[in-house]
Amino acid sequence: MIDNNRLLKPNRKLAKSARIKNMCEYQALQDEAIEDYEGFWGRFAKEKLDWIEPFNNVVDESNFPFVKWFDGGKLNVSSQCIDRHLKDKKNRASIIFEGDRGDKQIITYLELYYNVNRFANLLKEDFGIKKGDRVVIYMPMIPESAYAMLACARIGAIHSIVFGGFSAEALRDRIIDADASLVITADGAYRKGKPYMLKPVVDNALADGSCVKKVLVVERNNEDIDWVSGRDYSYNELIKEKAPTCEPEVMDSEDPLFLLYTSGSTGKPKGVQHNSAGYILWAQMTMEWVFDVKEDDTYWCTADIGWITGHTYIVYGPLAMGATTVMFEGVPTYPDAGRPWKMVEEYKINQFYTAPTAIRVLHKMGEDEPSKYDLSSLKVLGTVGEPIDPPAWKWYYEEVGDSKCAIVDTYWQTETGGHIVSPLPYATPIKPSCATLPLPGIMAEILDTDGDRVEVGEKGLMCVTRPWPSMIRGVWGDKDRFVKSYFGDVKKDGKAVYFTGDGALYDENGYITITGRTDDVINVSGHRMGTAEIESAIKKCDKVAEVAVVGRPHSIKGESIFAYIVMKGDDTLATEVELIKEINGYIKSEIGNIAICDEMAFVSGLPKTRSGKIMRRILRAIAKNEEITQDISTLEDPTVVEKINNIVNG
Ligand code: WTA
């Protein structure tokens, strides 16, 4: 039996060859960073990266929160991920790909080099893409997606990947915000054995005219698609004639590498900007420290490249360190819930990284599946994206990891670029559902609103008190929003610090447990969504007068989406089933299937203060069927609370 509060010691046998072997080594690194922050980061930047020209300054905070890391340095991220491994790893597998229908590809570093270079030449020669241009990538999980990212990095173009589950509207908004000039997409891909389409979504997104004049289409499933002549080009055709070498663009440390749109507390997603040197440095260092991938290891992260986890821990991190990264198309439960374990056995996977939602589904649908496969190659298991509940953690630890693999509960965000709080697999004693300690070099602290460190057991705000290399550099096109979103809430010793938006608490060991978002962002199956975005999609339905969306705990998804809706006049007479269908139709077209509401309650009014502010805390409590402890006497109409409660829980 696992005691949720007892610390489980790391595997001593495996620790011998680990990069960070014990807590003394962890502490020594953290002390080094505290005593000489610049020395610490400067040392690793020199050790880990291949510089075309050396940097002359480690960090420049004079224009905080607009900071510069490794100023003056020149490098190219695609070279970090490919060229420098050609000397001694050219025949090593860089990417192992397994498609939804079991099709396989093993791509060596040398092949990756040629494929990326050809792609880079294609972007330059056929589309005139140059340094600083924005390229939107709307792709499935196929190797060409990684080539596209690295090809952009090679020529200095800024990629902005839009997750393939987003709708045409959502894609259009992101294209416009980034003022992109090219979209790279595929005809479609496969999911649960069947083809699905992506290109028609791009067609719709560009339908009413766009800054994007050209579309590059990778043919994956060869389904029939519309073709706009003069706009759409076949990758499979064009790539044939391209030269296999392309000189990498010389990039400044602070030249942008990519944008990735993410949800915040307003209706409009933010284009989180990451730059070159600091991002790739931390991507590589966390790969090495947190997963401790070794020369002959095979590492698999099940994320989608449309999210930050796919960027940092499928493509950039593993390739920067010269690892073998597994890329997978499809869903983990198809053809059955043994799929991931079959793959672990077949490829002898050593580190496996996934989301709590996937663990819960695999547990529910295939509790005994792990025992049917040889999982003895596994050394480290990772989780990311949402708090993992103790039952899921226990199953993962005991049944998948055979009680001998460390579970690294990695806490981070799109904005942090890489992990910030996580166990180190061979050093940190772990406990279920706990992200444990800040990684060396990261000054993460839980503070109260006055900027004081909270006491043990007291909930506070998860902050980072010093800039770190892979931190967000800006919100694309909106300096104010960058400052206000992340540096407006908490000050320590009079100086603004980075606030993640998450709540957290310390235990008596000083370990950090993340308790979830403190803002109006909800986390559904590890996908981060702003309630304001969903509300504005619902408001597109002109029968809706008012709406408030909250998260409700869900046994598989972590949180589900719960909408309270006030209809206009007589429209409440339509049947609920029809209304739900109609409203979800708006969500589908504005955002995508991922934001569809699990439940809607049609109510006559929302709980509002006299100044008109919706009291979401009350709505969250009702959705959870909790007792209302808030004072409701200040509400404009206190009787609505009981009315809503009767509808939802009555
Ligand atoms: C949540 C995903 C608890 C958190 C990498 C954060 C977590 C948001 C964990 C970022 C974890 C991420 N434990 N919660 N280990 N990891 N989160 O930007 O609320 O898609 O703010 O990045 O996920 O989501 P994002």
Side-chain angles (χ1 to χ4, degrees):
M1 265 294 281
I2 292 177
D3 170 354
N4 287 345
N5 292 313
R6 211 191 77 213
L7 299 184
L8 298 161
K9 296 249 167 58
N11 187 322
R12 283 280 139 242
K13 227 165 72 201
L14 294 172
K16 282 194 194 119
S17 59
R19 288 186 181 82
I20 301 178
K21 297 181 182 56
N22 50 51
M23 286 311 278
C24 293
E25 291 190 4
Y26 162 82
Q27 201 53 54
L29 281 165
Q30 190 60 316
D31 289 346
E32 181 188 341
I34 291 167
E35 278 155 30
D36 179 9
Y37 201 59
E38 295 204 15
F40 173 90
W41 285 114
R43 167 163 92 85
F44 282 108
K46 278 187 209 141
E47 250 173 51
K48 301 285 174 192
L49 299 181
D50 282 9
W51 294 93
I52 299 170
E53 275 178 40
F55 53 90
N56 40 38
N57 198 7
V58 173
V59 56
D60 174 359
E61 297 183 50
S62 57
N63 197 19
F64 180 86
F66 300 91
V67 293
K68 285 187 186 164
W69 281 91
F70 313 121
D71 209 15
K74 305 222 183 280
L75 79 177
N76 179 284
V77 169
S78 87
S79 303
Q80 302 297 313
C81 293
I82 311 170
D83 305 29
R84 62 176 171 158
H85 307 311
L86 297 183
K87 225 173 18 210
D88 51 3
K89 289 191 183 136
K90 65 178 186 299
N91 293 324
R92 181 174 190 194
S94 58
I95 298 174
I96 295 178
F97 171 72
E98 185 167 304
D100 182 66
R101 297 158 310 150
D103 47 319
K104 297 172 182 122
Q105 284 182 56
I106 297 178
I107 300 126
T108 64
Y109 271 94
L110 188 62
E111 287 167 326
L112 181 67
Y113 173 76
Y114 291 136
N115 292 338
V116 168
N117 282 333
R118 285 198 182 93
F119 209 133
N121 283 327
L122 191 164
L123 295 179
K124 277 207 299 203
E125 292 164 17
D126 295 308
F127 299 106
I129 301 294
K130 48 187 194 317
K131 182 173 172 182
D133 289 349
R134 272 81 56 215
V135 172
V136 166
I137 299 178
Y138 187 68
M139 290 279 278
M141 287 295 292
I142 53 176
E144 287 78 4
S145 305
Y147 306 160
M149 296 164 78
L150 292 160
C152 287
R154 192 148 196 99
I155 63 174
I158 305 168
H159 62 70
S160 169
I161 304 190
V162 178
F163 172 61
F166 278 118
S167 69
E169 264 319 304
L171 176 60
R172 184 200 322 252
D173 289 347
R174 287 159 176 77
I175 288 171
I176 294 172
D177 192 80
D179 193 20
S181 45
L182 174 74
V183 173
I184 305 173
T185 188
D187 45 6
Y190 297 95
R191 195 166 191 270
K192 298 192 190 172
K194 295 198 188 74
Y196 71 89
M197 309 294 278
L198 283 169
K199 170 72 164 46
V201 184
V202 176
D203 292 338
N204 282 337
L206 303 181
D208 304 327
S210 173
C211 40
V212 163
K213 302 289 177 232
K214 300 273 159 81
V215 177
L216 180 64
V217 186
V218 178
E219 286 151 72
R220 163 77 179 140
N221 63 15
N222 295 307
E223 294 291 305
D224 267 348
I225 47 171
D226 289 339
W227 205 259
V228 179
S229 125
R231 189 197 72 182
D232 299 345
Y233 293 84
S234 161
Y235 165 84
N236 307 51
E237 282 304 313
L238 294 179
I239 201 75
K240 284 182 198 157
E241 299 145 20
K242 295 295 169 263
T245 55
C246 170
E247 225 13 68
E249 186 77 29
V250 177
M251 304 290 283
D252 287 336
S253 292
E254 287 292 343
D255 276 333
L257 178 64
F258 66 82
L259 307 179
L260 183 57
Y261 282 81
T262 189
S263 297
S265 47
T266 73
K268 195 171 172 280
K270 299 177 270 204
V272 171
Q273 180 186 329
H274 281 290
N275 291 357
S276 301
Y279 171 80
I280 198 67
L281 174 65
W282 192 231
Q284 177 176 338
M285 286 173 70
T286 47
M287 270 306 294
E288 293 179 353
W289 285 351
V290 175
F291 297 116
D292 203 55
V293 176
K294 289 289 162 36
E295 195 61 20
D296 289 321
D297 285 353
T298 306
Y299 156 93
W300 180 20
C301 164
T302 70
D304 189 287
I305 50 140
W307 309 112
I308 190 69
T309 308
H311 284 62
T312 310
Y313 297 112
I314 296 179
V315 179
Y316 287 117
L319 297 178
M321 71 166 292
T324 298
T325 178
V326 175
M327 203 174 167
F328 155 77
E329 173 198 49
V331 296
T333 47
Y334 177 84
D336 58 50
R339 175 72 181 270
W341 320 130
K342 184 166 176 280
M343 283 179 62
V344 169
E345 178 180 283
E346 181 171 346
Y347 299 110
K348 308 257 171 282
I349 302 229
N350 306 102
Q351 296 84 13
F352 178 72
Y353 190 31
T354 195
T357 297
I359 299 167
R360 288 190 290 262
V361 172
L362 291 165
H363 180 196
K364 188 165 170 229
M365 292 178 62
E367 190 167 0
D368 300 325
E369 289 293 326
S371 64
K372 298 182 188 161
Y373 298 91
D374 176 6
L375 306 183
S376 57
S377 57
L378 287 172
K379 294 189 278 192
V380 178
L381 299 173
T383 88
V384 57
E386 50 179 322
I388 174 165
D389 45 294
W393 195 98
K394 183 172 178 291
W395 180 76
Y396 199 34
Y397 184 76
E398 290 178 344
E399 303 306 319
V400 180
D402 196 20
S403 304
K404 70 179 193 336
C405 300
I407 293 190
V408 288
D409 181 345
T410 62
Y411 167 72
W412 61 297
Q413 318 176 289
T414 304
E415 293 86 342
T416 66
H419 307 144
I420 56 169
V421 179
S422 172
L424 296 167
Y426 304 117
T428 321
I430 50 173
K431 71 175 204 178
S433 314
C434 179
T436 72
L437 296 167
L439 288 171
I442 303 291
M443 304 299 146
E445 243 186 304
I446 311 173
L447 303 175
D448 62 20
T449 42
D450 297 327
D452 296 321
R453 195 180 162 104
V454 294
E455 301 292 329
V456 170
E458 186 192 333
K459 208 165 146 181
L461 310 170
M462 189 72 241
C463 297
V464 187
T465 58
R466 287 200 75 164
W468 67 104
S470 69
M471 110 184 182
I472 174 175
R473 290 301 194 278
V475 170
W476 187 253
D478 200 339
K479 284 191 172 170
D480 273 3
R481 195 166 176 205
F482 168 63
V483 179
K484 282 199 193 110
S485 304
Y486 304 106
F487 302 93
D489 292 314
V490 191
K491 281 201 170 94
K492 186 182 169 166
D493 304 327
K495 189 175 170 247
V497 299
Y498 175 85
F499 172 44
T500 58
D502 285 303
L505 40 87
Y506 288 117
D507 72 4
E508 54 292 344
N509 306 301
Y511 276 16
I512 293 168
T513 296
I514 305 295
T515 53
R517 303 286 309 192
T518 59
D519 53 10
D520 291 325
V521 169
I522 53 180
N523 195 325
V524 183
S525 302
H527 299 160
R528 182 172 155 184
M529 261 173 289
T531 52
E533 263 171 83
I534 305 169
E535 286 164 7
S536 66
I538 294 176
K539 281 185 199 147
K540 290 267 150 115
C541 173
D542 58 14
K543 295 176 184 162
V544 170
E546 277 187 302
V547 53
V549 168
V550 299
R552 181 186 218 186
H554 187 278
S555 64
I556 298 287
K557 300 179 184 187
E559 274 186 294
S560 64
I561 305 174
F562 191 110
Y564 294 89
I565 298 175
V566 183
M567 302 301 292
K568 283 181 192 159
D570 288 344
D571 284 319
T572 38
L573 296 176
T575 71
E576 261 192 39
V577 178
E578 281 164 1
L579 283 175
I580 290 172
K581 212 168 142 204
E582 187 173 340
I583 290 168
N584 270 332
Y586 281 95
I587 297 175
K588 257 193 215 177
S589 80
E590 292 293 312
I591 307 175
N593 286 342
I594 50 169
I596 278 182
C597 289
D598 293 83
E599 280 167 278
M600 293 182 199
F602 294 93
V603 296
S604 57
L606 297 173
K608 285 187 192 162
T609 59
R610 291 201 178 88
S611 59
K613 192 169 172 289
I614 297 172
M615 296 285 285
R616 283 164 194 282
R617 261 185 307 147
I618 295 179
L619 294 174
R620 277 195 284 267
I622 295 174
K624 287 186 199 162
N625 198 5
E626 278 174 4
E627 206 185 322
I628 312 279
T629 50
Q630 289 98 326
D631 175 16
I632 58 168
S633 64
T634 58
L635 293 181
E636 191 187 38
D637 173 10
T639 66
V640 293
V641 175
E642 202 185 324
K643 286 186 204 152
I644 300 176
N645 212 354
N646 282 339
I647 290 174
V648 177
N649 301 313

